[in-house]
Amino acid sequence: VQAPQLRLSTELLHIPVSFAGTPSEPVDVELFNDADIPATFAWHPPEAAPGGLAVELSPASGEVAAKGSVIVRVVATPREEAECATADVPLQISEVEEPLSLRVTARAFGLEVDYAIVPGGELPPEIVQQPRALNPSPRGRSASFAVSAGKAPKAAPTADFGEMELLKSKVLQLVLYNRSGIASPFALRVERNPAFEEPMGTAKTGALTSTGMSWPGQIVAGRGSGTITAMTFQSTPQPAAQGRHLGGEATPTRVSEGRAGSRNSTRCEQKPRFTPGSRKLIGGAHGKRKRFLLDDKHEKQAFRSAVGAEFAQQKAERAQGAIALQHGRGWAVKVEPEADVLQPFGKTVVTLTCFSDLPGRMEDELVLSIGGLRAHSEGGDFRIPARLLSTGNPLFFPDQQVGLNKELEPPRLLCGTIVPADKYSTRPIKVSNNSAAKMAITWTVYGKAQLNHKAEDRQWVNVAICKKRGAEDPLRSAAVLAEEGDEDEESVLNEAALALEAGDLPDDAGADSEEEMPFKFQMWTQQPPQVPDPFAMPLTGDLPLKIEPPVAVLPPHGSAIFTVTMLASKATVTADGHYEYKLVGKGRFTEDREALLAAAMKRGTSETSEAEQARLASRRGSGDEVRALPNLRIEELDEDDSDAEPPEPSVGDGSGVAARGSPEVAELTRSLAESGQPGAEGAAKPLAEQPDGDVISTLVVDCVGDVVIPRLTVDKKEEPTAEDFPYLDPTEAELDGTDASQPLRCAMFKFTHSSVPHPAASRTQANGATHGGALMGAQIPGIVSCLKRYVTMTNRNPCSVVCRFRIEGPFRLLEIAQVGKHPVRLPAEDPKKTLKKGRTIPRQPPAQLFTLEKYETVSLQAEFVPELVPASEWDHTKVDNMFTGSIIVEYPRENSEASDVPTDMQRVHLVALSRRPKLRLVAVPLPHLDRLLMPSQEPGVVVVEFGRMHVESSMSRRRSLLLLNVTNVLARWQLVHVARKASVAATAIGDGAEKAHDDMGAFNFDVSEGELVGPSKDVLVPETGERMPRWMPSTAALPHALPAKDEHLFDPLKLTITFKPKRNELYISRFRVHVEDGISADVICRGQGSYDEEDDCIDFVES
């Protein structure tokens, strides 16, 4: 009789790797039956103890054939982490009283999670996901670090975003590695600067969704379908969003995967689409043609170029940042996903996107909670430091502002160029706030002379020991304790100085680490000294530039418009940016920032649990608890527990520590106390505070402008001899380096007047200049009349000019013409009234003001009026009479027609030449007769000698005279006899003339009157410098141009005089060529009558 004989392949089963709360991998154990009969068995696993091992066997019972075996699969589940968990499982065999036993042991590992931080877009490091005990890594060479409880150690990686410009974003990836086979949920949040999560369905979210922009984890509700579409942010250009479709709308349909725990995804079933090229509905019902409608796909289509794609990405990042930063803290870190399940031996990548709209350093913590970790399940967490240094300016000047050049650094605002009459010029300037916090901006104006002051005693910078922002001043605290306690302030300050010297600082001193001190040396620029500005206002001494309002509050993502006003205090000659001032705007947080932050955080987050509130309250109140501790004196503290009193250190014991009350400590205390802000007598402020430490943003604008002395540019070059008016205020002119002592020059306009009107001038006098030559004739006379001139002036100043005109001298303004306006015609003076009184009429200058814009011109028609010349100024003995006058341009410094306001003046010289005709007589020489003459004692009088002639001679003696017109004025002349006195004749022709007979009939002239044009032709006589006519005609051999048809009119007029005596007497007669309104010429004819036949005149040819 045989009994069942069962045995196990092993009675001790060890599982090397298992995880708490997780079934291990199955291990097979073979059960052998050595008997020849079958055996029935049953496993009876015990209940697992709290630290034990739960074992499952399959099959739990059964029958083993004779001489056979059965494979038993063993799965162990440790209840908790243990180095060696043990479970004894009895095996009950039928018909056998003593059961077999299988001891199962397992090494149970707990949940182990590592993390790594890599930049966005990079691949996470690959690690061997096993428990650390099985795969130890060399120290310092591990690609990941363990997640524990509390703050991450210094060697662990931190979420350091580095340096980032404002309005941009940076992405880091937090990679979580599960080194165990235990699945565990996790949650990640940002302690102080979480991103704002806007509720779905708001207007702003809908606007972002409609434009095709999305951010990580954005959930968009479907249109009327009730479905949910998950959209993820990508850094690459996205395809155009689906718009209106003629053939149907793409409807998202929910599709779920088969395995449990999978996320739902969406799929679009494309309905019939429309092809614009064919204008047919493809796939539609019955292929019907439908009306062509334009869709909005072109409005949402992404850019194709790289520049356009970058622009679209930047626009999307700004939209994301605008939402994430709505708490107004200045920084925000967006976590995606915030919570998930870390699968066994899995890897989860959490995207950290940082946004910033305020400059400064962000110090924050990422709070990671993993439910499977024991310390975390008990309320702990793991904190990873997060840092960011944001640079930039949240305040900026928007584009397309008039006069603001943003291409320069700093930007330049052109305030324009004005004249003193304008009084001021204004420029609007717009400042925008790019942050989600309210900013208060304060403006200050600095002058160029103030900034460029280089005095030897100027202090440029300040260096002092200043406390850090948020840190407590230890010396001030000591002073406060001295006020509250019984000791004097000096002893407490000495003790604080000793503590500072030894480096013993309290925990709540505000330092970030043990090595950092709550104070440090700071350097800042000193305010420029108060220097008188050369362009300051005369009465008040203020700067001529101001901005209104000087203080303003900019709302979040809002703008404010300021008005920059430049006052016309003093004027310069040139426009070269002499009004140069700097506008410095300093932006600070408003006083209600903390309240707004608290309200924003309360509105943007859910209610905090009581435990969390208690924890936060305990953290916030730690400083108050420390301050509430009893005050202990430094000398009462001792490192050891001995009751012995330490000896007092002496000053000269060489221990290196100065005693209280010693000169070294007193000097240190005094230096620290003197470094505080001045003027704080009685207040304990040992450490200085850096001014403008709360300034978040600074804007600097260079304001450039000019106030110029107005002056119009005359369309004529300046005359070296014509002098203009001096400057109204020479000290103003010297501001830009102009030498006001040098005389100014101006243009000169010349007029021509003929006393005898020319025939051509009478027809064209109204048109200005008149030429004396005939049409197609000789142009020898030139300009014979020019009574009207146009004076054209242009405003070359870069601003408008207000002026009025008046004229002086024998001139008058006929018309003032300005482009685009009706000409102003001035009334003429009455010349008869002027002649009747014998003096000029006092003329009132025109009071009308004319405004000339930039590059506009004005034309003044001026006329020379001879009748306005007083009779006393005419000189009838001269051929040319010169008369001068001026056109005066007045620039009043007040927009008023009154004449008593300060006025800048400009002059245009006017010169009029009034010419009279003048004739000249030249006798054709006869040597045998002219040698008998004595030199004439009367200048300008021609003496013609006829010699002795028989009274009854059959031949006449003739002499020739040449009559020349020396001017270009038409001469109307007439020959007249001039009776003479004996004394005059004697003076003219010498001795014996007093007995001469004056008989005008003895001398006969062939021409006695006529008109002679001028100037007559003459030549220059060598060696004498006198111009004389030609006696003989020029030969044909000399080169000459073809004569004009009227050129003979300019030849000298030949007068022939015939002498016919009647008695044996001396004949002397004086004749005058009288010129109408001109200067006449006299000739004296002299001849001797004779009865002697020898004096009978015989013609040369006849003889």
Side-chain angles (χ1 to χ4, degrees):
V1 178
Q2 292 186 354
Q5 297 182 4
L6 297 181
R7 62 180 178 87
L8 294 172
S9 59
T10 177
E11 295 183 355
L12 178 62
L13 180 62
H14 179 70
I15 301 176
V17 178
S18 64
F19 301 96
T22 304
S24 66
E25 295 184 358
V27 180
D28 294 338
V29 176
E30 191 172 0
L31 181 61
F32 297 95
N33 187 0
D34 295 334
D36 295 330
I37 61 175
T40 303
F41 67 93
W43 294 97
H44 299 282
E47 294 184 1
L53 190 68
V55 180
E56 295 181 2
L57 298 95
S58 178
S61 61
E63 183 180 2
V64 183
K67 300 296 182 178
S69 64
V70 175
I71 301 298
V72 179
R73 180 158 293 180
V74 181
V75 176
T77 304
R79 294 303 183 185
E80 60 184 19
E81 182 178 357
E83 185 68 24
C84 183
T86 305
D88 292 328
V89 182
L91 176 62
Q92 187 67 40
I93 306 172
S94 61
E95 300 180 2
V96 177
E97 295 182 359
E98 187 69 23
L100 295 178
S101 177
L102 175 63
R103 172 166 289 190
V104 181
T105 61
R107 184 176 184 181
F109 294 93
L111 178 64
E112 296 183 7
V113 180
D114 282 11
Y115 80 98
I117 297 178
V118 295
E122 293 188 5
L123 294 177
E126 296 294 338
I127 66 171
V128 179
Q129 292 179 253
Q130 294 180 356
R132 301 183 190 92
L134 301 180
N135 188 20
S137 299
R139 185 175 183 181
R141 296 184 182 180
S142 176
S144 61
F145 293 83
V147 175
S148 59
K151 190 175 182 180
K154 294 182 179 180
T158 60
D160 191 354
F161 292 92
E163 186 174 345
M164 184 183 72
E165 297 182 11
L166 297 184
L167 304 180
K168 292 188 177 181
S169 62
K170 270 194 173 183
V171 177
L172 292 179
Q173 293 178 347
L174 174 64
V175 187
L176 298 178
Y177 301 93
N178 191 350
R179 284 180 170 268
S180 65
I182 306 173
S184 175
F186 71 91
L188 183 65
R189 62 181 177 87
V190 183
E191 178 69 17
R192 290 183 291 273
N193 299 289
F196 179 80
E197 295 293 341
E198 189 169 9
M200 293 294 103
T202 58
K204 189 175 296 185
T205 308
L208 291 175
T209 307
S210 62
T211 55
M213 294 181 293
S214 60
W215 58 93
Q218 177 183 354
I219 306 299
V220 182
R223 300 179 179 176
S225 60
T227 59
I228 296 178
T229 303
M231 302 179 66
T232 57
F233 175 78
Q234 296 182 6
S235 60
T236 56
Q238 298 297 307
Q242 295 178 353
R244 298 186 299 271
H245 295 272
L246 293 180
E249 186 175 0
T251 304
T253 304
R254 187 186 299 263
V255 179
S256 60
E257 298 181 3
R259 65 183 184 90
S262 62
R263 295 185 177 180
N264 295 334
S265 61
T266 57
R267 174 180 74 187
C268 290
E269 294 181 357
Q270 186 66 31
K271 291 188 176 182
R273 66 183 186 277
F274 179 76
T275 304
S278 62
R279 295 185 178 254
K280 292 181 179 180
L281 189 64
I282 301 178
H286 309 293
K288 295 182 179 179
R289 292 178 177 269
K290 288 194 176 183
R291 191 175 178 183
F292 178 74
L293 293 176
L294 290 178
D295 60 5
D296 58 351
K297 186 179 293 186
H298 62 283
E299 299 177 0
K300 301 177 181 180
Q301 186 171 355
F303 294 97
R304 295 184 179 180
S305 64
V307 178
E310 182 181 0
F311 173 77
Q313 181 180 355
Q314 293 177 358
K315 186 176 180 181
E317 291 178 355
R318 290 196 202 99
Q320 299 171 38
I323 296 176
L325 294 166
Q326 286 191 16
H327 285 309
R329 303 188 64 89
W331 303 279
V333 179
K334 188 174 183 62
V335 179
E336 176 63 27
E338 295 182 350
D340 204 344
V341 177
L342 190 60
Q343 299 297 332
F345 299 103
K347 176 176 63 178
T348 301
V349 178
V350 180
T351 303
L352 306 176
T353 307
C354 186
F355 305 93
S356 175
D357 58 6
L358 288 178
R361 185 180 298 277
M362 181 196 73
E363 297 287 345
D364 208 337
E365 290 180 347
L366 300 176
V367 182
L368 177 61
S369 298
I370 301 177
L373 293 179
R374 179 179 301 175
H376 291 194
S377 61
E378 295 175 356
D381 51 29
F382 183 67
R383 296 177 177 268
I384 304 173
R387 299 183 180 89
L388 170 68
L389 178 61
S390 56
T391 60
N393 199 337
L395 302 182
F396 69 101
F397 298 107
D399 296 333
Q400 298 180 358
Q401 296 196 47
V402 177
L404 185 62
N405 186 2
K406 296 176 58 179
E407 300 295 331
L408 302 178
E409 183 62 34
R412 175 172 294 180
L413 178 64
L414 300 180
C415 296
T417 302
I418 60 175
V419 294
D422 294 336
K423 297 302 180 183
Y424 63 89
S425 69
T426 59
R427 289 288 187 273
I429 182 172
K430 185 177 181 181
V431 180
S432 296
N433 183 10
N434 234 337
S435 66
K438 290 200 303 183
M439 302 287 289
I441 183 170
T442 305
W443 293 98
T444 309
V445 184
Y446 298 96
K448 178 181 179 181
Q450 188 178 5
L451 296 175
N452 297 338
H453 184 63
K454 297 182 180 179
E456 296 181 357
D457 57 345
R458 178 177 177 181
Q459 184 178 357
W460 295 89
V461 295
N462 275 346
V463 180
I465 299 178
C466 302
K467 68 173 184 177
K468 295 183 180 180
R469 294 187 60 187
E472 185 177 353
D473 189 350
L475 297 184
R476 177 173 172 81
S477 302
V480 173
L481 292 177
E483 292 179 0
E484 297 177 353
D486 298 334
E487 297 187 5
D488 56 347
E489 183 178 354
E490 182 178 1
S491 62
V492 179
L493 288 176
N494 290 339
E495 295 172 2
L498 286 175
L500 292 177
E501 186 178 7
D504 299 333
L505 299 176
D507 296 336
D508 59 343
D512 297 331
S513 61
E514 298 178 358
E515 293 80 11
E516 295 184 0
M517 306 285 284
F519 57 87
K520 62 180 178 179
F521 279 97
Q522 294 283 358
M523 178 184 297
W524 66 89
T525 58
Q526 182 74 4
Q527 289 290 332
Q530 296 297 330
V531 178
D533 191 77
F535 297 96
M537 302 301 294
L539 299 180
T540 61
D542 298 335
L543 295 179
L545 190 85
K546 62 180 182 179
I547 182 170
E548 295 177 349
V551 180
V553 176
L554 277 70
H557 301 287
S559 302
I561 297 179
F562 302 87
T563 301
V564 179
T565 304
M566 183 184 70
L567 304 175
S569 58
K570 297 180 182 179
T572 58
V573 179
T574 59
D576 195 17
H578 301 292
Y579 279 66
E580 186 175 354
Y581 297 90
K582 280 189 182 295
L583 282 176
V584 179
K586 298 179 180 180
R588 298 175 173 86
F589 291 128
T590 55
E591 296 180 357
D592 57 348
R593 172 170 170 78
E594 297 298 332
L596 294 177
L597 285 178
M601 292 299 293
K602 183 177 180 181
R603 183 175 60 251
T605 58
S606 59
E607 296 184 358
T608 312
S609 61
E610 295 182 0
E612 183 70 11
Q613 290 180 358
R615 184 175 60 86
L616 294 178
S618 62
R619 291 186 179 181
R620 294 194 189 99
S622 59
D624 298 334
E625 294 175 0
V626 173
R627 283 188 289 270
L629 294 176
N631 297 327
L632 297 179
R633 297 179 57 182
I634 298 178
E635 62 269 15
E636 296 177 357
L637 301 179
D638 199 353
E639 294 181 357
D640 57 2
D641 296 334
S642 175
D643 297 333
E645 292 291 336
E648 290 287 340
S650 60
V651 177
D653 59 354
S655 60
V657 180
R660 292 188 299 271
S662 62
E664 293 84 354
V665 175
E667 182 65 26
L668 175 60
T669 306
R670 189 180 303 106
S671 63
L672 294 177
E674 291 177 355
S675 63
Q677 294 182 352
E681 297 181 0
K685 292 184 179 179
L687 293 184
E689 292 185 5
Q690 183 181 3
D692 298 335
D694 57 343
V695 174
I696 303 300
S697 172
T698 302
L699 294 177
V700 181
V701 183
D702 283 340
C703 298
V704 179
D706 282 289
V707 180
V708 296
I709 299 175
R711 189 177 181 87
L712 297 179
T713 303
V714 184
D715 191 14
K716 199 174 189 301
K717 67 178 182 179
E718 296 179 351
E719 188 71 20
T721 59
E723 187 172 346
D724 201 350
F725 289 106
Y727 297 109
L728 180 64
D729 189 357
T731 58
E732 288 185 351
E734 294 175 354
L735 290 176
D736 59 352
T738 302
D739 189 2
S741 61
Q742 296 294 330
L744 300 177
R745 302 302 174 185
C746 60
M748 179 185 293
F749 286 83
K750 298 179 180 180
F751 297 79
T752 302
H753 170 256
S754 298
S755 59
V756 179
H758 195 274
S762 61
R763 296 191 302 269
T764 61
Q765 185 176 4
N767 297 329
T770 303
H771 209 283
L775 184 63
M776 303 299 295
Q779 304 298 319
I780 296 176
I783 300 298
V784 297
S785 177
C786 184
L787 300 181
K788 298 179 181 179
R789 295 290 301 270
Y790 281 93
V791 180
T792 303
M793 299 182 180
T794 307
N795 181 17
R796 300 285 183 182
N797 301 296
C799 60
S800 60
V801 171
V802 178
C803 60
R804 58 172 174 251
F805 306 94
R806 63 184 177 92
I807 197 166
E808 292 181 352
F811 303 88
R812 66 182 179 187
L813 289 175
L814 298 179
E815 183 181 87
I816 301 177
Q818 193 174 356
V819 177
K821 298 181 181 179
H822 292 286
V824 178
R825 293 181 175 85
L826 304 179
E829 294 81 2
D830 188 2
K832 295 182 179 179
K833 188 175 182 180
T834 304
L835 293 176
K836 182 178 180 181
K837 290 187 176 182
R839 53 187 174 85
T840 59
I841 300 177
R843 293 171 288 179
Q844 296 295 332
Q848 180 179 355
L849 293 176
F850 296 87
T851 302
L852 276 73
E853 300 296 335
K854 182 180 178 181
Y855 296 126
E856 281 191 357
T857 60
V858 60
S859 296
L860 285 73
Q861 187 180 15
E863 181 185 15
F864 170 63
V865 184
E867 291 81 3
L868 297 178
V869 180
S872 60
E873 295 184 7
W874 288 98
D875 189 354
H876 298 282
T877 62
K878 294 182 179 179
V879 177
D880 296 335
N881 283 273
M882 302 289 294
F883 305 101
T884 60
S886 300
I887 293 179
I888 299 176
V889 187
E890 297 181 351
Y891 308 96
R893 295 203 171 187
E894 300 285 346
N895 287 329
S896 172
E897 297 181 357
S899 59
D900 57 346
V901 298
T903 304
D904 297 285
M905 293 191 295
Q906 180 183 357
R907 172 183 295 160
V908 178
H909 269 274
L910 305 178
V911 177
L913 174 64
S914 180
R915 180 166 292 169
R916 304 156 58 98
K918 180 181 179 180
L919 297 182
R920 175 187 177 193
L921 289 173
V922 177
V924 178
L926 289 178
H928 64 283
L929 296 178
D930 293 339
R931 60 185 178 86
L932 301 177
L933 292 175
M934 297 179 61
S936 176
Q937 300 180 4
E938 187 175 356
V941 178
V942 178
V943 179
V944 180
E945 177 64 39
F946 287 88
R948 299 179 63 86
M949 185 176 179
H950 196 274
V951 295
E952 295 182 355
S953 175
S954 59
M955 299 296 294
S956 301
R957 179 163 292 177
R958 297 179 176 86
R959 293 289 301 270
S960 298
L961 290 175
L962 296 180
L963 184 62
L964 293 85
N965 187 353
V966 298
T967 65
N968 60 351
V969 182
L970 177 66
R972 295 187 178 93
W973 62 275
Q974 184 179 9
L975 186 66
V976 295
H977 176 259
V978 181
R980 60 175 177 80
K981 297 180 180 180
S983 58
V984 176
T987 302
I989 58 176
D991 297 338
E994 61 274 6
K995 297 181 181 181
H997 181 61
D998 184 7
D999 184 8
M1000 60 178 297
F1003 302 94
N1004 295 324
F1005 290 81
D1006 58 348
V1007 181
S1008 60
E1009 63 181 356
E1011 294 181 354
L1012 184 61
V1013 297
S1016 300
K1017 295 180 179 181
D1018 54 5
V1019 295
L1020 182 65
V1021 179
E1023 297 180 0
T1024 62
E1026 184 180 5
R1027 302 193 69 87
M1028 297 294 291
R1030 293 180 181 272
W1031 314 122
M1032 301 297 178
S1034 58
T1035 62
L1038 296 178
H1040 60 278
L1042 295 177
K1045 62 180 181 179
D1046 59 348
E1047 192 170 346
H1048 63 281
L1049 299 178
F1050 297 93
D1051 292 334
L1053 180 61
K1054 184 177 181 181
L1055 302 179
T1056 301
I1057 307 174
T1058 304
F1059 179 50
K1060 291 184 179 181
K1062 297 178 181 179
R1063 293 182 297 179
N1064 184 17
E1065 294 180 357
L1066 177 64
Y1067 289 87
I1068 300 177
S1069 297
R1070 188 183 185 98
F1071 297 90
R1072 176 170 296 168
V1073 181
H1074 177 71
V1075 182
E1076 179 184 351
D1077 199 11
I1079 299 177
S1080 303
D1082 291 354
V1083 58
I1084 297 177
C1085 299
R1086 184 178 185 276
Q1088 179 70 42
S1090 175
Y1091 296 137
D1092 192 355
E1093 294 182 356
E1094 294 180 357
D1095 296 330
D1096 190 6
C1097 182
I1098 301 176
D1099 190 28
F1100 178 76
V1101 178
E1102 182 183 354
S1103 62

